[in-house]
């Protein structure tokens, strides 16, 4: 089967342009912001495409990852295919 996953990547227009955010994504491959909208509890996470590929490919075949600016839905889209399970 196929899975469709959405995520915010490092080139997403909402990625905070701050030294803290840039340093975190460079060092760890992800950044989370627990104050995305001032005065709210809205939490957003951002990850590099490379980290997404690393995590997804451990369990799935990556069919395609479309960046947010291309996907048309405000987030990156990853199309993943289940790996064949070896017979015992």
């Amino acid at each position: 089967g196929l899975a469709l996953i959405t995520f915010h990547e490092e080139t997403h227009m909402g990625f905070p342009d701050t030294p803290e955010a840039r340093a975190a994504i460079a060092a760890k491959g992800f950044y989370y912001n627990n104050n995305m909208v001032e005065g709210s509890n809205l939490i957003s996470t951002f990850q590099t495409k490379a980290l997404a590929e690393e995590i997804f490919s451990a369990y799935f075949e990556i069919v395609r990852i479309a960046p947010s600016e291309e996907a048309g839905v405000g987030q990156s889209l990853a199309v993943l295919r289940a790996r064949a399970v070896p017979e015992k």
Side-chain angles (χ1 to χ4, degrees), residues 4-79:
L4 179 66
I5 307 293
T6 63
F7 64 97
H8 293 123
E9 83 289 2
E10 72 272 26
T11 60
H12 185 272
M13 66 181 178
F15 183 76
D17 187 21
T18 65
E20 175 192 12
R22 288 190 301 272
I25 205 145
K28 300 183 281 189
F30 70 92
Y31 172 74
Y32 74 93
N33 183 352
N34 63 354
N35 193 22
M36 194 63 182
V37 176
E38 188 175 339
S40 77
N41 255 355
L42 181 62
I43 298 172
S44 291
T45 60
F46 300 86
Q47 62 192 29
T48 62
K49 181 181 176 194
L51 180 62
E53 288 173 335
E54 178 185 330
I55 293 168
F56 298 156
S57 66
Y59 303 97
F60 300 96
E61 172 191 346
I62 299 172
V63 177
R64 182 158 193 274
I65 295 180
S68 59
E69 55 273 355
E70 181 185 312
V73 295
Q75 296 184 38
S76 289
L77 294 174
V79 179

